Amino acid sequence: MTLTPVITEHWDDPELFTLAGYRRHGGYTALASALKQDPDAIIGTVKDSGLRGRGGAGFPTGLKWSFVPQNDGKPHYLVVNADESEPGACKDIPIMIANPHALIEGVIITSFAIRANHAFIYIRGEVPEAIRRVANAVREAREAGLIGTDIMGTGFDLDIVVHSGAGAYICGEETALLNSLEGLRGQPRLKPPFPAVAGLYASPTVINNVETICNIPYIVGRGVDWFRQFGTEKSPGFKVFAVSGHVNRPGIYEAPLGITMRELLDYAGGMIDDRPVKFWLPGGSSVPMLTAEHLDTPMTYEAMAEAGTMLGTGTPMIFNDTVSVVKAVTRWLEFYKHESCGKCTPCREGTYWITGTLERFQEGHGSDREMETLTDLCGQIMGRSFCALGDAAATPYPAAMKYFRDEFAAATSTPVDDSFDPAASYVFSGAAAR
Amino acid sequence: MAISESTREQLEQLVARYPQPRSALMPMLHLMQSLEDEVTADGIAVCAEFAGVSAAEATSVASFYTMYKRKPVGKHHIGVCINTMCGLLGGDAVYDAVSERLGVGHNEATADGEFFLERIECQAACTHAPVMTVDWEFMDDVTPTSAVDVVDRLARGEQVESTRGPVIRDFQATEHTLAFPEDGLAAEGTPVDDKMLAGLRIAKERGMAAPASGQEG
C-alpha cells in the first residue's frame, strides 16, 4: 500500500505554519464552502464519511456531533483534546507544530456545525513549541477575520482559546480534561451524563482529538467519496502513523488505514541491524502488545480488534529482541501508577500493587504465586474505575503473559538486566555512550 | 505577596480569556511560576483571589499537576524521559550521565540554582527517542555525551538551540509562554525536522500521492 500524505502533504514547506503558507496550499477554502452550508449538512457529511476518532477510542465523529442537542438555549463548546501524553503517541504534537492552521480550520468548521461560539484547544503543558505554533495560528486567523465576530460575513461568531495543561496524563481523558479546563483537579467524571449533553460548564460539549479535527477540512473540502477511497468500510480514511522504536527511520508516515505494520516497517527502513521484531504495540501503551506473527494484520479498527488489540492512537512502537518484556511492562506500570489521579480505589491501589510486584520480578525476585497474583490484580482493576486509565494499567501484563510467560518465569530467579543487557537496546553506541 | 501593576493586568487578561474566572487558574499558576521559579503559598493565594476560589481549593489544584513546582527550580529545568521507549533506547543512560554531571537526583536542584533535574514521562516524541527537554523545549535524539554537552554549554552561558524550537531561554520564560503563548517565537528554529518529514520524503521520491479530487481542500 502506498503512502498518501494529506495532512502531512506540505510539511516540507517551512512557511506552512503561517496563514499565508497554508493558504498557498489551498488552506481555508473548505471553510469558505462550509460556512455557506447548513450546519446539519456538515454533520451529515462527517457522518457519511465514517470518520472515526483518532485519539484512541475510534468513536464515529459525526455521530458524536449529532448527540449535541440543538435549539436548547445553552451555549455549546468545542474542546480539542491536544493533551497527547500516551506513551508511544507522538503524532498530534508534530501536526500542531507543522500544520497548525489545518487544526484551526477544522475547529472553525466543527464549531459552526455544532453551533459553538467558543472553542478551546487544551494542549499539554510540556510542549511549549506546539503551544506557541497553535497560538500563533489563532492570532493570524483572528487578524484575518477567520475567527471573531461575523466570520466572512456569515454572522457566525467564534472565539478560540489555547489552554496550556500542567503535566497530568489523566487530562487526556475527556471528562478529566473538562474538569481541568474548569480550573479543578484533573479527575474524571462519572458518565452519564455524557459531555455532549453536560460537558464544559455543564453545557453541551464536543471533545475531539487533534488529528480528528484536522481531517474535517479535507472531508468537507473534497467530499465523502474522495475520503472513502482510503481505508476500509469500517475504517475509512487515512492516518498519521508515528513509527518509533528499533527501526532505521523512525518518524511520521501518513497512509490509508489498512496498511500493515510490515509495510510501515519497510517504509521506516526496516529494523536496526536487521534484528528481529520481538513485540510491538499498534497505538500506545494502553493497547495489548502483538508479536512478529501479526505484522501482516491490517492497521484498521476492526482488524486490530480481531487480533486481540486496538488501533489506539495509530502510533506503533516496535521493540527488537534485545528488550526485556518484563522491563518494558514494569516501566509502563510505573507510568500508570504515577499518573493515576487517585479518585478510584481499584486504579489507585491496584497500580501501586502491580508496580511493586513487577519491580520484584525485574530484580529477579518474582515467584510463580505472584504471577497468579498479578493476573488476579489486573482482573480486579479491569472495568472497575471511572475512566480508562485503570483498564489501561491492567492491560500490559496479561498481554505480555500471553506471548512471553517464560520471561516472567525466568524473572523469578534472574534479574532482567542479567538476562538482557540494557546497553544492547540503546540506539547509540561507542563514544556517544561514554 | 505584593503584585505589580503589570502582573495585575496579566492576571485580569487571563480571567477575561475564559467564560468563568476559575478556568484561568492553571494559566495563572503558570504565570506565578514565571515570576518566581516555583509556586509559593503566596502565589497560590493571589491566583485564588482572581479565580474566585479559596486558597485551599487553589492549593489542591496546584498540588495535583506535576509541572507546578513547590520548591525553587532555578534557572534551567532539565527533563530526561525515562518512559519505556526513551528509557530503554538509552534514556536511562542519559539520565544517569546528566544526574552524575549535575550531582543531583530526580526532582532536585543544584546548589548554585542553575539546574533542576527531573525524570519525565512520555514527552510525545517517541520517534525522537531518547528525548531530553531543557525548560520544556525539545532536545531530541540525545546520547549521554550530547546531553551532558548541552548541560555544559548552558552552564557556561553559551547559546543553545532546541532541536525543534527556539534558542533556550530559561525556565521562567517558558512558564510565561505557557500563560501567554503568543511569545513571538513561532518562527524560530527548525521545528519540522527530518523525522517529521520521513514519510513525505519517501512518498515524493517514489512518486506516491493521495488521489486528487476535483476541489482543493
Side-chain angles (χ1 to χ4, degrees):
Chain A
M1 200 172 276
T2 65
L3 296 171
T4 52
V6 177
I7 293 170
T8 61
E9 186 181 358
H10 303 293
W11 283 19
D12 53 353
D13 179 351
E15 298 300 313
L16 181 64
F17 81 99
T18 66
L19 178 61
Y22 183 64
R23 276 192 156 142
R24 203 157 54 233
H25 299 292
Y28 288 107
T29 51
L31 174 65
S33 77
L35 292 181
K36 292 183 192 125
Q37 296 180 38
D38 175 34
D40 284 336
I42 299 172
I43 296 177
T45 298
V46 174
K47 256 188 180 172
D48 293 344
S49 77
L51 173 67
R52 298 174 66 167
R54 303 294 194 235
F59 192 82
T61 305
L63 190 59
K64 193 186 242 187
W65 294 4
S66 70
F67 291 154
V68 172
Q70 295 304 336
N71 305 311
D72 55 343
K74 286 185 177 177
H76 296 178
Y77 297 105
L78 171 66
V79 176
V80 178
N81 186 343
D83 192 50
E84 182 171 60
S85 315
E86 167 87 3
C90 47
K91 45 96 180 171
D92 293 334
I93 299 297
I95 290 172
M96 289 188 284
I97 289 174
N99 198 1
H101 277 287
L103 175 63
I104 304 306
E105 186 175 10
V107 166
I108 304 170
I109 296 172
T110 304
S111 299
F112 178 71
I114 65 164
R115 285 89 159 177
N117 300 116
H118 223 129
F120 297 86
I121 304 175
Y122 186 112
I123 310 179
R124 64 180 301 194
E126 299 98 321
V127 283
E129 183 60 16
I131 294 168
R132 66 167 65 91
R133 296 275 270 202
V134 171
N136 184 65
V138 169
R139 177 186 59 78
E140 285 185 308
R142 187 180 291 122
E143 287 170 3
L146 299 167
I147 304 170
T149 51
D150 192 21
I151 296 168
M152 296 168 102
T154 58
F156 175 56
D157 302 339
L158 177 67
D159 189 19
I160 301 181
V161 172
V162 177
H163 183 94
S164 308
Y169 165 71
I170 188 62
C171 293
E173 198 282 331
E174 59 180 17
T175 61
L177 189 154
L178 292 177
N179 275 345
S180 183
L181 197 49
E182 290 185 13
L184 301 162
R185 295 166 77 96
Q187 294 186 310
R189 303 174 179 175
L190 186 63
K191 293 189 279 192
F194 288 92
V197 176
L200 188 65
Y201 311 126
S203 290
T205 303
V206 165
I207 305 162
N208 280 143
N209 164 265
V210 169
E211 187 185 353
T212 309
I213 291 290
C214 288
N215 271 265
I216 301 302
Y218 301 99
I219 292 171
V220 170
R222 302 181 185 182
V224 168
D225 291 341
W226 174 82
F227 185 74
R228 279 191 171 274
Q229 289 179 85
F230 307 89
T232 63
E233 177 65 28
K234 289 179 178 166
S235 301
F238 37 84
K239 181 82 191 66
V240 178
F241 294 100
V243 182
S244 66
H246 287 118
V247 302
N248 283 310
R249 272 196 306 270
I252 301 291
Y253 297 85
E254 192 173 7
L257 286 162
I259 194 169
T260 65
M261 190 65 243
R262 194 183 302 282
E263 290 169 314
L264 281 173
L265 185 54
D266 181 55
Y267 288 124
M271 296 294 285
I272 293 175
D273 297 334
D274 292 322
R275 293 200 78 102
V277 173
K278 181 170 178 178
F279 61 100
W280 63 284
L281 293 79
S285 58
S286 302
V287 309
M289 63 175 64
L290 297 172
T291 65
E293 67 181 274
H294 305 101
L295 289 174
D296 295 312
T297 308
M299 300 280 279
T300 60
Y301 297 97
E302 62 276 17
M304 285 295 144
E306 266 172 48
T309 184
M310 291 186 289
L311 183 65
T313 50
T315 52
M317 292 186 275
I318 308 169
F319 297 91
N320 69 21
D321 61 337
T322 65
V323 172
S324 157
V325 169
V326 177
K327 191 169 186 171
V329 169
T330 304
R331 202 61 70 92
W332 281 317
L333 261 298
E334 286 169 344
F335 168 78
Y336 290 118
K337 176 190 161 200
H338 183 256
E339 299 296 338
S340 175
C341 78
K343 181 163 183 160
C344 309
T345 309
C347 174
R348 182 186 66 242
E349 301 300 316
T351 52
Y352 172 85
W353 284 104
I354 296 178
T355 304
T357 309
L358 281 171
E359 282 170 347
R360 277 203 298 284
F361 278 85
Q362 199 168 243
E363 299 306 318
H365 298 145
S367 70
D368 290 346
R369 193 175 58 81
E370 282 179 316
M371 282 162 69
E372 303 315 314
T373 303
L374 281 170
T375 303
D376 187 45
L377 272 169
C378 292
Q380 295 291 336
I381 295 172
M382 187 62 81
R384 292 202 167 88
S385 296
F386 270 39
C387 84
L389 194 149
D391 295 349
T395 295
Y397 175 75
M401 280 290 278
K402 188 170 163 188
Y403 303 110
F404 301 102
R405 188 187 180 91
D406 289 354
E407 268 186 46
F408 287 90
T412 59
S413 57
T414 312
V416 297
D417 281 357
D418 291 356
S419 307
F420 295 87
D421 174 14
S425 305
Y426 296 169
V427 288
F428 46 76
S429 59
R434 303 207 308 172
Chain B
M1 175 180 178
I3 55 170
S4 69
E5 193 50 39
S6 148
T7 301
R8 173 171 296 279
E9 278 172 21
Q10 291 182 61
L11 287 164
E12 283 167 356
Q13 278 177 41
L14 291 175
V15 168
R17 189 188 280 173
Y18 297 90
Q20 294 185 9
R22 183 169 184 151
S23 284
L25 194 50
M26 287 177 70
M28 286 196 286
L29 288 164
H30 280 305
L31 179 65
M32 288 300 122
Q33 209 161 228
S34 78
L35 299 172
E36 306 176 273
D37 57 345
E38 63 177 316
V39 172
T40 61
D42 286 349
I44 290 171
V46 168
C47 296
E49 182 196 329
F50 278 80
V53 300
S54 71
E57 284 177 283
T59 304
S60 83
V61 173
S63 64
F64 183 82
Y65 298 93
T66 53
M67 286 180 77
Y68 300 129
K69 303 302 182 192
R70 301 304 303 276
K71 55 187 178 184
V73 167
K75 190 169 181 192
H76 293 297
H77 176 278
I78 307 286
V80 180
C81 179
I82 48 71
N83 204 297
T84 306
M85 180 59 74
C86 280
L88 271 53
L89 264 56
D92 288 350
V94 171
Y95 175 83
D96 289 344
V98 174
S99 175
E100 187 189 321
R101 162 67 182 79
L102 295 176
V104 295
H106 173 58
N107 269 338
E108 289 176 3
T110 56
D112 62 5
E114 285 290 305
F115 296 101
F116 181 98
L117 179 62
E118 183 174 355
R119 292 161 63 97
I120 58 173
E121 296 296 353
C122 190
Q123 184 68 16
C126 311
T127 43
H128 297 68
V131 169
M132 179 167 98
T133 57
V134 177
D135 305 326
W136 299 112
E137 306 288 358
F138 285 116
M139 287 292 167
D140 302 310
D141 300 300
V142 287
T143 68
T145 307
S146 72
V148 168
D149 182 55
V150 164
V151 172
D152 286 340
R153 280 153 60 207
L154 289 168
R156 291 196 295 268
E158 291 174 19
Q159 180 168 302
V160 175
E161 247 183 70
S162 158
T163 49
R164 283 186 289 159
V167 169
I168 299 300
R169 298 170 294 165
D170 60 32
F171 174 72
Q172 287 171 254
T174 295
E175 282 296 324
H176 197 269
T177 292
L178 297 180
F180 291 93
E182 287 173 35
D183 60 7
L185 299 175
E188 300 293 310
T190 48
V192 182
D193 69 355
D194 291 346
K195 289 182 170 180
M196 286 165 63
L197 295 172
L200 179 61
R201 285 188 178 145
I202 290 173
K204 285 194 164 179
E205 275 166 29
R206 303 188 191 175
M208 298 171 172
S213 64
Q215 298 161 279
E216 257 303 300

